[in-house]
Amino acid sequence: MALEKATGSDRPIQDQLVKSGDIPRHIAIIMDGNGRWAQKRGLPRIAGHREGVNSVRDIVEACGQLGVRYLTLYAFSTENWKRPREEVSLLMRLLLKALRDEKDRLHQNEVQLKAVGDISTLPQDVQDELLDGIEKMKNNKGLTLILALSYSGRWDITNAISRMYDDIRSGVLKKEQITQDLITSYLSTRDFPDPDLLVRTSGELRISNFLIWQIAYSELFISQEYWPSFRRTQLYESIADFQRRERRFGMVSEQLHSSEPTGEPLRGMERFVKSASKP
Ligand code: FPP
């Protein structure tokens, strides 16, 4: 589907996307390129992070309008702590300000805020603001916005293994019970489905220790835009691209296209699960 550029109201483009295929239930984004966006303009790196907050606002809003159920944003990785102290400190101030400024608007838009990562390592005021937002929005029924903060995939898996070990030692868990689903249930992302679509901005072809377990079958979309220039138009392109993919989950194409009693073509795992459970 060719997407026109959003002018004025972008409702027609959203309607077109909803009609043309599945809207990913869960989108995860590696927001990259803030520094380069700023440097290209002769600005300090923090100016890129500031403009990046405007992209966050736009993408959250567009995802909510499209009916995306979960949006996970890689806002601060475990490795980001190794950046110059000054940049880390400015990023934490910016996060605090964004949480304070956006909380009411998010709440009005029925967003449910969540966080994954080693939250205890964040400055106390950021932790307080975050937990306050999570509590305030816990009963909302709209988009679930998951902020990955002080997060890395290896941190998550290491943490899960350590807790599984404790449970085995205390007799709560037996070795025979270890399955992929059980491991998933020990991860910090246990309450959310795996991402259907993983977007990375700024053209880099890396996962950067993001949701390494959870993206086993996610579709990848690499945008050449730096994060501060990644707005809803680019999001729509990523979704249109997603809709052109055939998600096979390790099967062959024919298995996905055999006829269903309803005549309705089902996609990927949903179809597989349905046909596998037939008597
Ligand atoms: C990557 O760009 C971006 C980050 C490490 C931070 C992302 C943070 C924000 C967009 C602001 C706060 C977020 C929320 C959720 C309100 P980079 O600095 O690695 O860019 P570069 O690769 O060009 O150096």
Side-chain angles (χ1 to χ4, degrees):
M1 181 183 73
L3 286 173
E4 302 141 40
K5 226 177 163 53
T7 45
S9 163
D10 57 351
R11 181 56 74 186
I13 298 179
Q14 294 184 350
D15 290 346
Q16 202 183 337
L17 273 174
V18 169
K19 275 194 219 127
S20 61
D22 290 343
I23 297 296
R25 186 154 65 127
H26 185 172
I27 301 179
I29 307 185
I30 302 176
M31 308 182 287
D32 190 23
N34 292 355
R36 278 165 285 169
W37 180 92
Q39 275 158 3
K40 239 179 100 178
R41 288 161 178 78
L43 298 168
R45 292 176 56 83
I46 190 66
H49 297 314
R50 274 199 204 102
E51 191 57 27
V53 175
N54 294 329
S55 292
V56 169
R57 190 183 303 113
D58 194 45
I59 297 305
V60 169
E61 197 180 283
C63 281
Q65 291 166 351
L66 275 168
V68 172
R69 299 304 307 153
Y70 303 87
L71 172 67
T72 302
L73 299 177
Y74 204 11
F76 195 84
S77 72
T78 310
E79 289 75 24
N80 285 156
W81 290 114
K82 294 183 205 144
R83 291 193 173 198
R85 220 166 45 173
E86 162 105 349
E87 182 168 340
V88 170
S89 163
L90 286 169
L91 266 170
M92 290 299 145
R93 297 301 92 205
L94 188 63
L95 184 61
L96 182 66
K97 183 174 173 352
L99 287 167
R100 282 189 180 144
D101 293 352
E102 303 297 329
K103 205 155 56 179
D104 289 345
R105 184 210 285 257
L106 290 171
H107 190 37
Q108 280 157 17
N109 283 298
E110 280 291 314
V111 170
Q112 196 179 131
L113 183 66
K114 299 278 182 189
V116 289
D118 196 356
I119 303 305
S120 67
T121 59
L122 299 171
Q124 194 57 50
D125 49 3
V126 176
Q127 286 186 48
D128 293 346
E129 200 60 43
L130 189 62
L131 296 178
D132 186 63
I134 291 171
E135 177 62 25
K136 187 181 166 113
M137 293 177 232
K138 69 177 183 201
N139 295 321
N140 287 348
K141 298 282 180 277
L143 172 75
T144 299
L145 170 63
I146 305 146
L147 299 182
L149 291 163
S150 195
Y151 179 87
S152 73
R154 287 183 177 181
W155 166 84
D156 208 356
I157 293 170
T158 307
N159 213 21
I161 291 172
S162 164
R163 288 180 30 249
M164 281 165 61
Y165 176 77
D166 287 344
D167 284 351
I168 286 176
R169 273 187 61 129
S170 66
V172 176
L173 181 66
K174 292 193 171 43
K175 180 176 173 281
E176 301 70 47
Q177 290 174 286
I178 298 177
T179 60
Q180 294 187 18
D181 284 346
L182 184 101
I183 295 172
T184 299
S185 76
Y186 274 81
L187 296 170
S188 65
T189 51
R190 68 186 77 85
D191 296 331
F192 320 120
D194 289 344
D196 302 291
L197 172 63
L198 173 71
V199 174
R200 179 168 190 145
T201 61
S202 91
E204 306 289 348
L205 303 172
R206 276 194 298 279
I207 300 301
S208 296
N209 207 355
F210 194 24
L211 303 161
I212 50 181
W213 173 273
Q214 299 86 340
I215 60 163
Y217 281 103
S218 305
E219 297 296 324
L220 308 184
F221 182 84
I222 308 294
S223 168
Q224 297 305 316
E225 298 288 342
Y226 295 137
W227 175 251
S229 311
F230 188 92
R231 298 293 163 95
R232 57 181 64 208
T233 304
Q234 288 74 29
L235 176 80
Y236 298 154
E237 277 166 17
S238 74
I239 295 176
D241 192 80
F242 170 83
Q243 292 178 338
R244 288 191 289 268
R245 313 276 180 93
E246 179 183 69
R247 305 188 73 196
R248 292 203 298 269
F249 301 97
M251 293 174 283
V252 299
S253 191
E254 289 69 28
Q255 290 173 287
L256 307 171
H257 296 291
S258 65
S259 64
E260 276 288 321
T262 57
E264 204 62 81
L266 279 175
R267 283 185 171 76
M269 196 51 104
E270 237 174 90
R271 160 184 279 277
F272 175 69
V273 169
K274 262 202 148 176
S275 58
S277 63
K278 270 186 209 155

